[in-house]
Amino acid sequence: MVTKRITKTDRIIEAFGRAIVHGDYPPGTTLPSESDLCTQFETSRNVLREVIKVLATKRLIDAQRFRGLSVMPREQWNYLDADVLEWALEKGNDPVLIHSLIEVRSMLEPVISRWAAERATAVDLVAIESALNDMKRHADDRPAFMEADIAFHRAITIATHNLVIQQMSDAVSALQRAIFDHTFLMDKAHLALTIKEHSDLFDFIRYKNVEAAEKISIDMITRTASRAKVQIENGEILAS
């Protein structure tokens, strides 16, 4: 497995982006000058400009010419970006954000499952089953199980053969990864149910049972929403 090399630009993107999301630079704040930021992050103007360009695509920074740099309003941040989601949830678990993420999943995943059942090819089915087998194999390893679960749903997203939905696969995976820790239980009963539901969903897709695939997807996300609601009501998910 090839490990991606982390560059100085990547490190500054992470440090600066995290500082913005964590509130070191509140929304609406005018950021320091380019010269001051270069000094702060001990970097060149070229590297800093690349960092700003990336953070602007995440909609954390308003970088319009001749207006200076400022932090975008929180509601305009790109929460479909995996980094933004991670940074937003690591300081404090925002119940409004988690509820919003679950609502989006509730809208997308049943349709994705239905389309996959209609359109999955043999190659798609191999990818879905491989991820399912990884889930079963890593049932006692939470991080590995999470990645296998995400890979399972990603393979289903790809199996829709809808070009726009396929391009959203990273965003859908980011949504799932962001709320996994807040909704997943590692007890044996829950693991057994989770694996059975995913196995059933694979079978419904394999046998092109579109109604059943859509229904079980709705059932799965409904249970996820219920677990998150319980945590919020019990104060286990607190606003930052």
Side-chain angles (χ1 to χ4, degrees):
M1 179 179 179
V2 178
T3 302
K4 180 183 176 182
R5 179 174 173 268
I6 304 299
T7 65
K8 181 177 183 179
T9 303
D10 294 329
R11 288 193 295 272
I12 297 173
I13 289 169
E14 182 173 351
F16 198 3
R18 180 176 278 113
I20 290 171
V21 175
H22 286 189
D24 294 352
Y25 303 99
T29 298
T30 298
L31 292 169
S33 68
E34 188 177 86
S35 176
D36 288 343
L37 288 172
C38 286
T39 300
Q40 178 180 338
F41 291 106
E42 299 180 341
T43 193
S44 67
R45 289 182 182 269
N46 286 339
V47 169
L48 181 68
R49 287 169 182 169
E50 183 62 29
V51 169
I52 290 169
K53 185 186 302 183
V54 172
L55 294 180
T57 65
K58 297 177 185 293
R59 300 208 297 274
L60 296 178
I61 289 179
D62 184 349
Q64 296 184 47
R65 292 186 66 186
F66 310 118
R67 292 180 53 183
L69 302 175
S70 61
V71 178
M72 295 284 283
R74 186 178 299 271
E75 62 271 16
Q76 293 184 32
W77 295 352
N78 182 9
Y79 289 106
L80 294 182
D81 182 278
D83 290 333
V84 175
L85 275 174
E86 178 184 343
W87 299 334
L89 290 173
E90 66 187 7
K91 184 180 180 182
N93 300 323
D94 185 341
V96 174
L97 175 56
I98 292 172
H99 179 71
S100 297
L101 296 174
I102 292 173
E103 280 190 330
V104 172
R105 286 189 60 188
S106 299
M107 177 182 68
L108 290 177
E109 290 188 22
V111 175
I112 288 172
S113 296
R114 182 182 186 91
W115 288 350
E118 291 175 346
R119 306 168 187 176
T121 65
V123 173
D124 296 325
L125 294 175
V126 168
I128 298 169
E129 186 174 27
S130 175
L132 176 61
N133 289 336
D134 285 343
M135 289 178 66
K136 295 175 180 177
R137 184 165 59 252
H138 296 300
D140 296 325
D141 183 340
R142 185 187 183 98
F145 185 90
M146 178 186 73
E147 293 303 325
D149 192 342
I150 290 170
F152 176 88
H153 290 283
R154 183 184 184 88
I156 291 175
T157 301
I158 299 301
T160 64
H161 294 276
N162 177 294
L163 294 178
V164 177
I165 291 293
Q166 286 179 326
Q167 290 179 6
M168 291 177 64
S169 61
D170 287 343
V172 173
S173 295
L175 292 174
Q176 292 168 332
R177 182 173 283 107
I179 64 176
F180 191 90
D181 286 339
H182 311 294
T183 60
F184 187 74
L185 303 174
M186 283 297 289
D187 63 89
K188 290 185 178 180
H190 177 70
L191 273 172
L193 175 61
T194 298
I195 291 173
K196 182 181 186 306
E197 286 177 328
H198 284 69
S199 297
D200 288 345
L201 177 55
F202 169 65
D203 285 339
F204 294 144
I205 292 172
R206 177 170 52 162
Y207 295 119
K208 298 190 176 299
N209 190 335
V210 294
E211 287 80 11
E214 184 176 33
K215 182 180 183 305
I216 195 170
S217 184
I218 291 171
D219 291 343
M220 290 164 69
I221 195 64
T222 297
R223 274 190 279 277
T224 295
S226 296
R227 291 192 295 274
K229 182 180 179 182
V230 168
Q231 287 197 343
I232 290 171
E233 290 175 347
N234 289 341
E236 297 170 38
I237 296 178
L238 303 174
S240 59

